[in-house]
Amino acid sequence: MAVSFSGTAKAEVCRAVLQKHCCYLAECFGILLFCNSFNSEGIRIITESREFAAILPRLFKRAFNVNFDLFPSIEAPGKLTFQITDPDKLETIMDSFGFDPKDTLSLHVNLAMVEDDCCKAAFLRGAFLAGGSVTDPNKGYHMEITTTHRIVSRETDALIQEVMGLSMKTASRGGGQVLYLKQSEQISDLLTYLGAYVAAMGIMEARLEKDLNNKVNRRCNCDDANTSKVVEAAQEQLAAIRILRDKGILESLPVKIQQAAYARETNPEASLSELAAMLEPPLSKPAMNHRLKKLVETAKEAVK
């Protein structure tokens, strides 16, 4: 199964090495507040990331000294579901964050759990692993983190502003609260902070490639427009020359005008600058333009 850009970014985040117990707690805190279900009835974490699934049991063992009651084989196809329903385990986990197991309706980010810088980063890594996604930059720029808790969403936004100076946009979707970014630089900065350095570089490379392609396209469009103008002007000038010749007027025009007419007739695809350089002595572009305009004006007068 092909791994998505989001999956690759999460795989990078999973490689972060945690040194302290407080960081294990903080990362699990982020996971729980942004996972599929975290309440008095149980914990349910669903993921497609094999790397996240591989580290999840170890994180919970180190943080709470508990094992999942239900956990899948990492080799299993599709989404993987982890569950804890044992009341004693749930109480241990809730107590670790200062929550009452009987009151999980008002879950929030306990600031004591994210006091140190290392714990702030660990918490946001957990939030991204459990509830985050990032779009392939070749398709668009979008990174989001979703939780079912409104207060958690607001407090996490404040935390990201504190550590990154980023203000994430917010939206509601299917009963969930979504924090999201749409700017490539902001997405790249947040991925870097989370430890997904290669993914962050991929965002910037995609942006640079798009910028380059846009510049090339604008240049090509400009060149095409200029070429069309040159062709249209040349066709008008050639038509004028034919009219003046048919009416026997061309030969009576000043020599300088006749020279311009001959240059255009023999070089129908040349630009004004190229035509001007062909004359002897060479002309300036405005001078050549003046002579050709005189040809066209004379032809218009002749057919009135």
Side-chain angles (χ1 to χ4, degrees):
M1 183 176 67
V3 180
S4 66
F5 184 84
S6 190
T8 301
K10 288 187 177 183
E12 276 196 271
V13 173
C14 287
R15 298 188 193 114
V17 178
L18 305 181
Q19 300 290 346
K20 297 185 290 185
H21 184 255
C22 62
C23 293
Y24 279 97
L25 279 173
E27 189 154 324
C28 287
F29 196 27
I31 291 169
L32 289 167
L33 291 180
F34 285 83
C35 71
N36 301 83
S37 179
F38 176 40
N39 53 46
S40 59
E41 295 181 0
I43 294 167
R44 185 170 75 256
I45 303 168
I46 302 175
T47 182
E48 292 183 345
S49 170
R50 269 51 193 169
E51 290 79 9
F52 180 36
I55 69 167
L56 196 50
R58 185 167 69 252
L59 286 173
F60 271 64
K61 187 67 175 177
R62 292 292 297 271
F64 314 113
N65 195 31
V66 301
N67 297 314
F68 283 94
D69 297 325
L70 173 67
F71 55 91
S73 167
I74 295 179
E75 287 74 28
K79 295 181 179 181
L80 307 178
T81 301
F82 293 80
Q83 284 186 305
I84 294 177
T85 54
D86 182 271
D88 292 335
K89 293 180 182 179
L90 290 172
E91 184 173 359
T92 296
I93 293 171
M94 294 287 187
D95 286 344
S96 298
F97 302 126
F99 294 147
D100 182 349
K102 298 178 181 178
D103 180 20
T104 55
L105 293 177
S106 58
L107 292 178
H108 63 93
V109 179
N110 185 340
L111 296 180
M113 304 303 303
V114 291
E115 207 165 17
D116 297 334
D117 290 342
C118 58
C119 294
K120 289 180 174 70
F123 173 83
L124 292 175
R125 282 198 301 270
F128 175 67
L129 289 172
S133 66
V134 57
T135 301
D136 186 328
N138 293 311
K139 299 178 181 177
Y141 302 125
H142 184 88
M143 181 179 183
E144 67 178 46
I145 310 175
T146 304
T147 178
T148 56
H149 311 289
R150 186 180 298 275
I151 296 175
V152 169
S153 177
R154 185 169 63 247
E155 292 174 338
T156 302
D157 182 30
L159 180 62
I160 292 174
Q161 288 189 49
E162 177 188 339
V163 299
M164 298 289 299
L166 299 179
S167 180
M168 299 188 77
K169 296 183 182 298
T170 60
S172 297
R173 185 199 303 147
Q177 305 301 312
V178 183
L179 295 172
Y180 68 94
L181 295 171
K182 286 285 190 182
Q183 296 184 22
S184 59
E185 287 187 10
Q186 293 182 339
I187 295 172
S188 180
D189 288 346
L190 185 50
L191 285 173
T192 299
Y193 180 77
L194 297 177
Y197 305 106
V198 176
M201 190 177 300
I203 297 281
M204 299 311 296
E205 287 177 350
R207 194 197 73 175
L208 290 173
E209 185 175 349
K210 286 180 182 179
D211 288 347
L212 178 60
N213 288 338
N214 288 337
K215 287 180 181 178
V216 170
N217 288 336
R218 283 196 297 269
R219 180 62 182 271
C220 289
N221 291 337
C222 182
D223 289 345
D224 288 345
N226 290 336
T227 299
S228 296
K229 290 179 181 178
V230 169
V231 170
E232 290 172 3
Q235 289 174 343
E236 185 181 31
Q237 292 154 10
L238 290 169
I241 294 168
R242 285 194 295 272
I243 290 171
L244 293 172
R245 178 174 285 111
D246 292 343
K247 291 185 175 293
I249 299 174
L250 186 61
E251 293 76 8
S252 64
L253 295 176
V255 174
K256 291 180 179 181
I257 304 297
Q258 291 186 51
Q259 288 175 338
Y262 178 76
R264 169 52 76 200
E265 250 188 332
T266 52
N267 301 278
E269 297 179 358
S271 67
L272 279 176
S273 298
E274 291 168 339
L275 287 178
M278 293 174 187
L279 296 187
E280 192 63 41
L283 293 180
S284 66
K285 179 179 176 182
M288 188 67 188
N289 186 45
H290 174 74
R291 295 185 185 184
L292 291 173
K293 278 188 173 181
K294 187 65 177 176
L295 271 172
V296 173
E297 290 170 1
T298 304
K300 289 179 179 178
E301 288 293 327
V303 296
K304 283 184 178 180

